Amino acid sequence: KQEVTQIPAALSVPEGENLVLNCSFTDSAIYNLQWFRQDPGKGLTSLLLIQSSQREQTSGRLNASLDKSSGRSTLYIAASQPGDSATYLCAVPDQGAQKLVFGQGTRLTINP
Amino acid sequence: NAGVTQTPKFQVLKTGQSMTLQCAQDMNHEYMSWYRQDPGMGLRLIHYSVGAGITDQGEVPNGYNVSRSTTEDFPLRLLSAAPSQTSVYFCASSYSGLAGGHEQYFGPGTRLTVT
């Protein structure tokens, strides 16, 4: 059974810092991994999708890496801004169950 | 494209009432699904569909029905609402099933309270 873990559960950093969010999964036989952002009271916004054949994916100040063999992904946020404050979720498909398996999320706060 | 849309945004029901949560997408996606999000439980799959006329159960299907008569729409019906169904409901879609490796898009959610 696929399990996804995100550590830390919460992170608070000053504006301007570069930071890394972590995601680990137990079954390395994944098709892809997706990072989402969720603002309080809102839906999930897709940030990046990394296919299993890729090592990393970039979008603006965001860079996601994937190491299938070790069951890990990281989301790197450069030059953080207060607007980056949100909960970040990673998810991998559980093919057999046709569902996404989500981590519990990292609640990120960027302090001005 | 409007993406994935959900109505209503908020709903309060009394125990025993029924209602339908609407979900629509305009991206011609074959795969659609419903999740519920609860504190401490994360997101759990309720039902999913891999195409018009095809639906299947997820991990928490009891008390919910779905149908998929068109590619665009995937409504979720609560048959007899219970307080345990108080939650935030998200609809999601992607070009194909999860093995296809396509990006999942989520709607804004419906916040349901059952009293």
Side-chain angles (χ1 to χ4, degrees), chain A residues 32 34 41 46 51 98 100, chain B residues 31 35 37 101 103-104 111:
Chain A
N32 56 53
Q34 195 165 354
S46 178
Q51 300 295 345
Q98 279 288 342
L100 286 179
Chain B
Y31 178 86
Y35 288 83
Q37 185 177 36
E103 192 169 6
Q104 294 277 322
R111 282 146 190 82

Side-chain angles (χ1 to χ4, degrees), chain B residues 19-70:
Chain B
M19 78 160 295
T20 299
L21 280 62
Q22 301 292 344
C23 173
Q25 51 87 14
D26 61 358
M27 297 174 281
N28 202 31
H29 284 173
E30 291 295 326
Y31 178 86
M32 297 185 74
S33 58
W34 278 101
Y35 288 83
R36 58 178 290 175
Q37 185 177 36
D38 302 287
M41 302 293 290
L43 285 117
R44 294 178 291 171
L45 180 68
I46 305 171
H47 285 286
Y48 67 93
S49 169
V50 297
I54 306 169
T55 64
D56 208 343
Q57 297 181 350
E59 55 188 319
V60 288
N62 291 343
Y64 307 96
N65 270 0
V66 291
S67 60
R68 183 96 180 267
S69 56
T70 67

Side-chain angles (χ1 to χ4, degrees), chain A residues 26-100:
Chain A
T26 54
D27 186 350
S28 62
I30 61 170
Y31 288 106
N32 56 53
L33 184 144
Q34 195 165 354
W35 283 93
F36 295 89
R37 167 188 174 136
Q38 186 173 29
D39 293 284
K42 304 293 185 184
L44 281 70
T45 300
S46 178
L47 297 174
L48 288 164
L49 173 72
I50 314 180
Q51 300 295 345
S52 60
S53 58
Q54 297 176 310
R55 296 284 297 190
E56 63 179 55
Q57 193 70 258
T58 298
S59 176
R61 294 183 293 108
L62 305 179
N63 177 276
S65 68
L66 176 64
D67 184 344
K68 275 182 53 177
S69 61
S70 67
R72 295 187 179 195
S73 176
T74 62
L75 180 66
Y76 174 84
I77 302 177
S80 59
Q81 303 170 358
D84 294 330
S85 297
T87 296
Y88 290 80
L89 297 152
C90 65
V92 295
D94 181 331
Q95 177 199 347
Q98 279 288 342
K99 68 176 182 180
L100 286 179

